[in-house]
Amino acid sequence: MTINGGISFWYATDHTTPATPPRPPLTTDARADVVIVGGGYTGLWTAYYLKTAAPDLRVTVLEQKFCGYGASGRNGGWLYNGIAGRDRYAALHGRPAAQRLQQAMNDTVTEVIDVTAKEAIDADVHRGGVLEVARTPAQLTRLRAFHAAELAFGETDRELYGATETRTRINIADAVGSSWSPHGARIHPLKLVKGLAAACERLGVVIHESTPVTEIAARKAVTPYGTVRAPYVLRCTEGFTAALKGQKRSWLPMNSSMIVTAPLPASTWAQLGWSDSPVLGDMAHAYMYAQRTADDRIAIGGRGVPYRFGSRTDNDGRTQPATITALRDLLFAFFPQLTGTEITHAWSGVLGVPRDWCATVTLDATTGLGWAGGYVGSGVATANLAARTLRDLVLGDATDLTTLPWVNHRVRRWEPEPFRWLGVQALYAAYREADRQESTTHRPTTTPLARLADRISGRH
């Protein structure tokens, strides 16, 4: 029987680290130098870097549930160098600026790995890179264009493979090509967030769990239990941003779902050839992402029901039975030899999507309000770069990070309901139909339907 929900598989099976007792909620008004709203990767990394740079700062983190309750404890475990909005930043600020942003992301993968070692965080890190595969002629055309673009942005250590070489890396059915980057690693998301929270507390960061923030305003964060006042208030709420007063249309909470297999025997792994453990993605419009876990399972994710009306988010990570079936079928399409393999867990979560699909870091020095997010699914590494940038902005340091083109980028708000819901449902229906057409017609070009959907969504 598949366990559906329970936050995520990572929570259900994390028996290797000591249980963390619940951190106490806020009980009264308080003061700090910096108050951070959100106890996920962005908030915890920001707290960590602020305290390492300025140990005397009073830093408080307010988390509505518990650290890692959101995407930080539910994601696919992809620590990689992708960043949302790079092409748009190149158009707005010039290619050299976007190349600096990309190089910063390349370096961020190493930064996260180095800090996990420094802080003795055992997060099942394995740096096998990222393998992105094409399985249709149209996907292959996009793959080659993608590969060329990555080279043009400075990633000269990326490699392009044909069908035969791709199957020697991972034996994927119908694979016709792939692109591999060394700037990626597999992680256990929950172990990283738990270790990071513990590192923050060792540095003196105050973390209040079970403390929902209902309103953020200049120099204060309001909760049902008291108000925390501080010169700087940083919003690090990603896919849960819409729940805050006045933020309903800022970032759309996009759903993503995952399943994971039972542990696979060595004989199966020999058939799959997935030996150096790169994380795996594809070039479909409704794309997938997967990893080989440290305990020899395959965890694979993709879109189910992409968006809930009114920017609602789930409570316990449950996903729809139809989504579990679709992800299982996708897994078996990639790896027919796994047909019939037990699916032990399924879950879902939300990620933050700005209207122009651009991740941002912002600080208003006049009000002390700052925020970071809109990672569009690339947040495991991007949150670290955002946190180091927020640190420099708060401390008033002019650095290479504070001049990156995503700093203080503004974007228009999403459309009101019901247009928001109708638009997202229609767009993902179009992407799924485009993938179906490309897999049946075998034409080497992207379908006009997908190109139209990209233009309407602001994705490209």
Side-chain angles (χ1 to χ4, degrees), residues 260-265 269 293 295-298 341-345:
V260 66
T261 68
L264 303 176
W269 286 111
T293 69
D295 60 348
D296 288 332
R297 305 167 186 257
I298 294 177
T341 297
E342 180 187 5
I343 304 302
T344 63
H345 296 78

Side-chain angles (χ1 to χ4, degrees), residues 248-334:
K248 179 74 76 174
R249 293 166 54 197
S250 294
W251 292 336
L252 185 141
M254 183 77 73
N255 287 293
S256 197
S257 298
M258 295 197 72
I259 60 172
V260 66
T261 68
L264 303 176
S267 58
T268 299
W269 286 111
Q271 295 176 27
L272 298 180
W274 198 341
S275 58
D276 57 352
S277 296
V279 294
L280 174 65
D282 75 350
M283 300 304 294
H285 301 293
Y287 54 86
M288 59 77 72
Y289 50 95
Q291 66 149 286
R292 176 180 177 174
T293 69
D295 60 348
D296 288 332
R297 305 167 186 257
I298 294 177
I300 182 172
R303 295 286 180 266
V305 175
Y307 172 71
R308 292 181 173 90
F309 188 89
S311 293
R312 289 180 291 115
T313 56
D314 69 272
N315 291 319
D316 67 354
R318 286 184 61 83
T319 193
Q320 298 80 10
T323 299
I324 299 174
T325 299
L327 289 174
R328 184 184 62 210
D329 291 347
L330 181 64
L331 172 69
F332 297 161
F334 267 70

